[in-house]
Amino acid sequence: RLANGRSLEGSLAFAAAGFVGALWALSVFHPGPPDVLAARAAVAAVAGAITELFVRGVDDNLAVPVVASLALGAFALVV
C-alpha cells in the first residue's frame, strides 16, 4: 500500500487513464507534434496521479484537475 491506503496498481491505472484522456483532449483542442503532446499528457497524468495519491483534506475531484492543469501550464512554458 502507498499513501492514504492507495495501491500501486490503482495509482498506475489512474496515471494510464489520465494519460489517454489528456492525450485525447490535447490532440483535439491543442493539436501539435505528437511527441510534445505525449510529453504534456504524461506530465498532466503523473501530476494528477501524485495529487490523488496524497490529497486528504480537499476533495480530490477538485484538487486533481487543478494540479494537473497547473503542471501542464508550467511544463508548456518550458517546452
Side-chain angles (χ1 to χ4, degrees), residues 3-62:
N4 296 324
R6 308 282 204 249
S7 68
L8 177 61
E9 296 85 358
S11 294
L12 292 175
F14 185 100
F19 175 78
V20 171
L23 187 60
W24 175 82
L26 287 168
S27 65
V28 169
F29 297 109
H30 300 283
D35 57 337
V36 173
L37 291 178
R40 289 179 178 174
V43 166
V46 169
I50 291 170
T51 302
E52 196 268 338
L53 182 64
F54 290 110
V55 72
R56 289 193 70 150
V58 179
D59 183 13
D60 64 353
N61 292 324
L62 173 65

